[in-house]
Amino acid sequence: MLIIISNMFMNFIGVSLIPVVIAAVADMAIGALWYSPYLFGPMWMKEAGIKNFDMKAARKSMAFQAASALVMAFILGYLLKTFNVTTTDAGFELTFLLWLGFVVTTSSMRVIFEKAKFSVYAITISYQLISMIVMTIILTSMK
């Protein structure tokens, strides 16, 4: 019984969960660096009109981001498996198409309808591309 439960945890509908968790952690680390004072954090805050950094609010946002990263990593892993992607190069192609077809297009609605600045959009979708590429490297190399 314990072996069955262990196998279910480690492999859910054909997707190994350990690489999914590692990919989600990598996403969080990339986001922390991307939006830090060392890269795009100050520009992103200025362009987004964020004046003060509220750590309490940031914790809630980070919890939602962690859940989102897990979902994204799992779905990416599932699609890589479903399309029988076995190489990182093929994974990059699928990831780029997913990013272009879903992330870039749906995120553009903020610029079009909410009048968000293009610079905020560009910083955000660039982070998402880098993050998805790193997730793909992890997911294709840790089958």
Side-chain angles (χ1 to χ4, degrees):
M1 181 68 168
L2 185 59
I3 292 172
I4 293 171
I5 293 171
S6 175
N7 285 341
M8 284 175 53
F9 177 74
M10 301 303 263
N11 194 332
F12 182 69
I13 63 171
V15 178
S16 180
L17 296 182
I18 292 174
V20 166
V21 171
I22 293 170
V25 170
D27 172 76
M28 295 295 292
I30 292 165
L33 181 60
W34 200 262
Y35 293 101
S36 75
Y38 305 110
L39 288 178
F40 302 105
M43 181 189 331
W44 177 79
M45 286 179 69
K46 178 182 174 223
E47 295 295 310
I50 299 170
K51 304 276 187 237
N52 298 319
F53 185 76
D54 180 5
M55 192 56 178
K56 187 174 183 178
R59 285 189 185 118
K60 288 181 183 178
S61 298
M62 286 183 220
F64 283 115
Q65 175 58 24
S68 296
L70 281 168
V71 170
M72 183 184 290
F74 178 79
I75 297 298
L76 185 55
Y78 179 76
L79 291 172
L80 290 167
K81 178 195 169 294
T82 299
F83 291 113
N84 199 27
V85 174
T86 58
T87 66
T88 303
D89 288 347
F92 288 163
E93 184 178 344
L94 177 62
T95 297
F96 180 77
L97 291 172
L98 291 170
W99 173 79
L100 184 62
F102 297 104
V103 174
V104 171
T105 56
T106 58
S107 297
S108 70
M109 297 303 122
R110 294 215 52 237
V111 175
I112 296 167
F113 294 109
E114 298 174 19
K115 305 302 181 211
K117 291 185 177 180
F118 184 82
S119 55
V120 173
Y121 167 73
I123 291 168
T124 302
I125 65 169
S126 299
Y127 150 69
Q128 291 167 332
L129 177 61
I130 299 299
S131 177
M132 289 175 73
I133 288 171
V134 170
M135 285 183 171
T136 299
I137 292 168
I138 292 166
L139 294 166
T140 57
S141 64
M142 296 183 66
K143 292 178 186 176

